[in-house]
Every structure is written in C-alpha cells, then in structure tokens.
Amino acid sequence: MRYAYGVAAALLIGGSAFSIVAPGPVGAQVAQNAPAAMPPRGAPVSFADLAARLQPAVVNIQTKQRVPVRQGQSDPLAEFLRRFGQPGQGQGGQGQGEAAPQTRESGSLGSGFFISADGYVVTNNHLIQGAGGTGTVDSVTVIMTDRRELPARIIGRDPASDLALLKVEGNGFPFVSWGDSQRARVGDWVMAIGNPYGLGGTVTAGIISALHRGITGAGAYDRYIQTDASINMGNSGGPMFDLNGNVIGINSALISPTGASVGIGLAIPAELARPVIDSLRRGQRPQRGYLGIGLLPLDESSAAALGIPKDSGELVRSVVPGQPAERAGLQQGDVIVRVGDRSVTPDETASYLISNVTPGQRVPIEVLRDGRRQTLNAVVAQRPTDEELAKINGATPEGQAFDPNDQNAPAVPAGQALGLSLQPLTADIARAVNVPATTRGLVVTNVDPNSDAGEKGIRRGDVILSVNRQPVTTTAQVATAVDAARRAGRTAVLLFVKRGQLPEYPIGVDIVRR
C-alpha cells in the first residue's frame, strides 16, 4: 500500500487472508442491476434490497507470488570454507559454497466484479502487478459470495489507468452493467461493495463528495470521483454503484494521514474505465491520443508572468522531437488554452482532452504565445507504451552542481530583481554542472534564500535558459526582460531552468519589489 500524510493517494492493497461472506441470490443471464429488479430511486430507507441484488456480482481477489528475500548476513561456515579454498555447502545445498536464492510467498487481497455471465472480472492493475512494479503475480483467485474459489487468468492490464481484466472459466455468473458517470452529481448517493482488510463482502454507503478530483496534478487519469462512503485497504478494484445499481466507478485510492478511511475515498469514473476494459477484452491496447509534450499546470506566479488567469490553460514544459506536437509547431513555453472545442481547465486538463482524441484524428490546438492567441493543427498519434516513453524521453540521473558551500561564490547583489546571482555559461562551467555542451544560458552562482526563487527550489548550478520565453545569455538580457515585465504590469516572470541532464522545466518567479 502507498499512502502519504494528508494529501497523497494510497493504493488500496493488502488485508487479511480470510474471506467471510454471506451467500446471496445468484443471477443467470440477466444483469444483477437490470432495471426491473432495482428498488425505486431516491434516498432509501434501507440499502438492503440494493445490496442483496448486487453483492453476488462482487468478488474478492486473492493473489500470490514468490518474492526474493534479502539476505542479511552471509553463512559464516561457507565464508570460512571459501576463504581456504574448500568446497562448501550453502544454505540451499548448491555444493559450491553459494546459497540458493531464498524466496517467500507474498500475496494481497482486493476486490473486483463480474461484467458478464461468462466470467470477465474487472479489478485494479496494482492488485495483480508483480513485486517491484514489473510483470504480474504468479496466481490470481476469485472468491465468490458463496465461498467458491475459482482460478482466474489475466486477460490484460493497463498500468496507466490502473485497470485490469481477468477471466474465470464457466458461465452463468452474476454480473453488473456500467452506468453513466458523466451524469453523476455532487451529493448523489453511492454504495461501495468490496473486501476491506480481507474481511470479505462489505457494503458501505455515502454520497459523491466531489467530481474530477485530481490527486497527482498531472496525467490523463488523474480524474476521480470522491466519496465519503467508507473505502479502506482491500476495497481496491471493487465497484461504486449509483442508486440504480449501475457501476459508475471503480474504487482505487484514498487520502488519509493514517492509511485508514477518513472519509475521502476515490474511484476511477466509469467514463474512463469502460473504454479501457473494452479494449482489453478485445485483446487490444487502449487507444489514447498522444502529442509528445510535457505539460504543467499554471501556478499563480506562472500565470502572472504570462498575464493570464491562473486556471485558463496549461504550460508546455517540453516538446519531444519528431512527435506530433513538434510537427504541428508547438513550442516550449506555449500555453494550451483549448483542445478542439473544449477549454483547458483544472477539471478538463490538456492531458485528459488529448488522450480522449482518437489516434490519427486531426485536432485544432489553441495556444497563447507571446501574448497572442493562435491555432495549430495536430494529427494525434497513439500513445506509446511506458517502456517506449522512457526511451523517447531518455532522462538520465541528475548531475552534480557547484559546491553550494563554496565561500568564493559571488554574493547575491542587494535588491537583485529575481534574488539570483548569475554569470554566463562557459564550456568549463557546463561540464562542471553536467549540462549538455550545446546548452546556452546563465548559470546560477548564488540564490537569496529569502527570495521567491529560493523558496521555489532554484539552486546554485542551475542554468537559466530563458526569461518570459526570451533566450538569455547575458545578465543585461535578464534585466531587460524583467523591466519589460514590470512595464507590462506583471508581478512575475517565467524562467526555463536546466538542471544537469534532466529536461528543462518552467518556474514562475515573483519579481522583487523596488
């Protein structure tokens, strides 16, 4: 399980090894949430009828795999025999003084649900992903409400959306149908069924607390339904139902300072999950649009530097060479304000809008560049796999900057507009700070720790490439760009910064008042 204090998402895995459930009615070839079988809509006096109808379609997921055990200390006898050149017998009986690798069985418990009578089961990818984030577990077992334990095979999985599809052999399984999460409203009643802490089939209810909730700040799938229905470790992969009994979400994460439910549960909306599951069921990769750009939301300083409202677009951090964005003419520092006919907002990010464009389709991208709006037309490509993206981006480990304790570093001049001391980047300095030899800019030789730049993480050895999209190689150019921003009534400037071999990134920095 992953969780962090207050505002980080915790993937819901793990729990007890027991499954205690009560038997319920088993459906045949009709969905458990067929309209004729559902109770009237509205705030119910009891959720009992709804739960009794839906619970048989929800299953517990149990996984097992063998994982390596880290060896604490070597075998003293084997070490002694090796030292004197004698054949030794390791702990595993290998005969050459080498112990056989030790492993132990590990597993997790989560939740899932049938979406068809012939045994297709939806769950979360993180439940069936192998240790260390690679591969898959050794075995998956589906445990039904009547205590039947059925082996399942993995049909497909999609790490980007944290979804997976399993298959159990047989027919006549109780199943449920997808609902329309786009019609969900804050305040609607919802019900969750799952396997918290391995206790078995458990029903909780609450309301939708928020829609389009982001928890990472980036990515096409950072878009959750938030609920106060109790969601705990082991609920992962279980369904979130509306009062019509339709699946409008897949419970996947929580926000908690302790790892236990504090009333902030998160579910992947059906509108995002269903296309992914449909693709996996057909044996295909999910279709997602891709432009080849890195994006960042506009914080207050970046928006002020560009002279635009805070929540009215996303900043292009980087453009991947040879990809659709570059071919369409997008540039680093552009602000994407519209994709097609949809405005870019915190609820509908550029990543989300682009990912939902069919690969091969041409889409207009409206950008703000140097204070002027223009429209570029891009042919959207299919998003590469994570492995392919890693090769395309090709980031290497961060290099060492100047020694921050160097007493010979020039001091920050009093009243410097950005709180930075800068000097031209030479070939020797470029090697010292581990940036490419072709880099052009100004190296940061000192930072005022009380400045906005210091508070935002700019440090000695960083290289300033541009100010408000204007390349800079002299301190005079920086001063000119800052003065131009002041005359335009702006309180901040946008810097593009290079650190070692990492991709350059933008930072909005407040201008020191005169």
Side-chain angles (χ1 to χ4, degrees), residues 345-501:
T345 68
D347 287 343
E348 291 198 331
T349 64
S351 295
Y352 168 75
L353 295 173
I354 292 166
S355 70
N356 283 281
V357 176
T358 303
Q361 181 178 335
R362 183 180 295 272
V363 62
I365 309 289
E366 185 176 331
V367 302
L368 183 66
R369 180 183 297 170
D370 298 329
R372 297 185 298 275
R373 289 179 181 257
Q374 56 183 286
T375 299
L376 307 171
N377 291 299
V379 178
V380 176
Q382 163 71 5
R383 184 182 187 275
T385 64
D386 290 343
E387 293 78 10
E388 292 168 341
L389 283 175
K391 292 178 181 178
I392 291 172
N393 295 329
T396 57
E398 179 181 341
Q400 296 294 319
F402 287 157
D403 179 3
N405 299 315
D406 183 0
Q407 298 301 314
N408 295 319
V412 178
Q416 178 109 359
L418 301 179
L420 301 174
S421 183
L422 305 167
Q423 72 180 65
L425 184 69
T426 65
D428 289 339
I429 294 176
R431 284 192 295 271
V433 298
N434 195 30
V435 297
T438 56
T439 304
R440 297 292 178 267
L442 295 164
V443 66
V444 176
T445 57
N446 215 330
V447 182
D448 180 353
N450 297 315
S451 67
D452 188 53
E455 292 178 357
K456 289 180 176 173
I458 294 181
R459 67 193 194 197
R460 178 173 163 76
D462 287 345
V463 177
I464 308 301
L465 305 176
S466 66
V467 179
N468 280 352
R469 299 191 74 252
Q470 300 302 312
V472 291
T473 55
T474 68
T475 54
Q477 290 173 324
V478 174
T480 299
V482 171
D483 286 342
R486 280 187 170 134
R487 290 195 301 272
R490 298 178 185 176
T491 60
V493 292
L494 184 69
L495 309 181
F496 266 87
V497 181
K498 179 75 173 173
R499 177 175 294 170
Q501 295 293 318

Side-chain angles (χ1 to χ4, degrees), residues 293-299 301-303 305-306 308 310 312-319 330-337 344 350-351 367-370 468-469 493-496 504-508:
I293 50 177
L295 294 165
L296 284 176
L298 287 174
D299 60 20
S301 295
S302 298
L306 296 168
I308 60 177
K310 177 183 176 184
S312 59
E314 285 189 281
L315 185 68
V316 176
R317 167 181 174 170
S318 59
V319 179
L330 269 79
Q331 298 177 9
Q332 183 185 71
D334 286 347
V335 177
I336 298 180
V337 294
V344 175
S351 295
V367 302
L368 183 66
R369 180 183 297 170
D370 298 329
N468 280 352
R469 299 191 74 252
V493 292
L494 184 69
L495 309 181
F496 266 87
E504 55 264 30
Y505 57 95
I507 299 180

Side-chain angles (χ1 to χ4, degrees), residues 262-294:
V262 294
I264 306 178
L266 301 160
I268 303 169
E271 66 194 86
L272 298 183
R274 186 173 183 177
V276 173
I277 295 301
D278 288 345
S279 294
L280 295 178
R281 192 168 177 177
R282 293 191 300 266
Q284 301 173 346
R285 278 177 55 194
Q287 297 291 297
R288 296 190 187 92
Y290 172 76
L291 286 182
I293 50 177

Side-chain angles (χ1 to χ4, degrees), residues 124-366:
N124 278 141
N125 174 69
H126 72 258
L127 288 176
I128 55 95
Q129 185 169 268
T134 59
T136 60
V137 295
D138 298 330
S139 67
V140 183
T141 302
V142 165
I143 306 172
M144 300 183 62
T145 55
D146 60 5
R147 296 187 174 87
R148 280 187 292 164
E149 297 188 6
L150 306 173
R153 57 189 174 95
I154 300 170
I155 297 298
R157 62 192 189 98
D158 181 50
S161 61
D162 193 24
L163 293 170
L165 183 65
L166 312 176
K167 179 69 167 66
V168 174
E169 295 305 318
N171 280 288
F173 294 106
F175 67 96
V176 289
S177 301
W178 295 103
D180 186 358
S181 58
Q182 293 179 301
R183 299 180 63 182
R185 301 173 61 200
V186 173
D188 282 350
W189 280 101
V190 290
M191 187 175 74
I193 304 179
N195 181 30
Y197 297 108
L199 293 172
T202 299
V203 179
T204 57
I207 62 169
I208 293 176
S209 304
L211 296 169
H212 309 151
R213 177 67 76 207
I215 57 177
T216 65
Y221 288 91
D222 186 36
R223 185 180 170 91
Y224 295 87
I225 299 173
Q226 180 183 328
T227 181
D228 63 353
S230 184
I231 304 294
N232 283 289
M233 292 186 295
N235 274 106
S236 275
M240 172 187 284
F241 295 104
D242 63 19
L243 287 195
N244 288 324
N246 294 315
V247 179
I248 62 168
I250 300 173
N251 302 314
S252 298
L254 59 85
I255 295 176
S256 170
T258 63
S261 175
V262 294
I264 306 178
L266 301 160
I268 303 169
E271 66 194 86
L272 298 183
R274 186 173 183 177
V276 173
I277 295 301
D278 288 345
S279 294
L280 295 178
R281 192 168 177 177
R282 293 191 300 266
Q284 301 173 346
R285 278 177 55 194
Q287 297 291 297
R288 296 190 187 92
Y290 172 76
L291 286 182
I293 50 177
L295 294 165
L296 284 176
L298 287 174
D299 60 20
E300 189 171 346
S301 295
S302 298
L306 296 168
I308 60 177
K310 177 183 176 184
D311 295 328
S312 59
E314 285 189 281
L315 185 68
V316 176
R317 167 181 174 170
S318 59
V319 179
V320 181
Q323 298 301 314
E326 185 187 57
R327 292 195 291 268
L330 269 79
Q331 298 177 9
Q332 183 185 71
D334 286 347
V335 177
I336 298 180
V337 294
R338 291 180 72 85
V339 177
D341 60 353
R342 310 278 284 276
S343 295
V344 175
T345 68
D347 287 343
E348 291 198 331
T349 64
S351 295
Y352 168 75
L353 295 173
I354 292 166
S355 70
N356 283 281
V357 176
T358 303
Q361 181 178 335
R362 183 180 295 272
V363 62
I365 309 289
E366 185 176 331

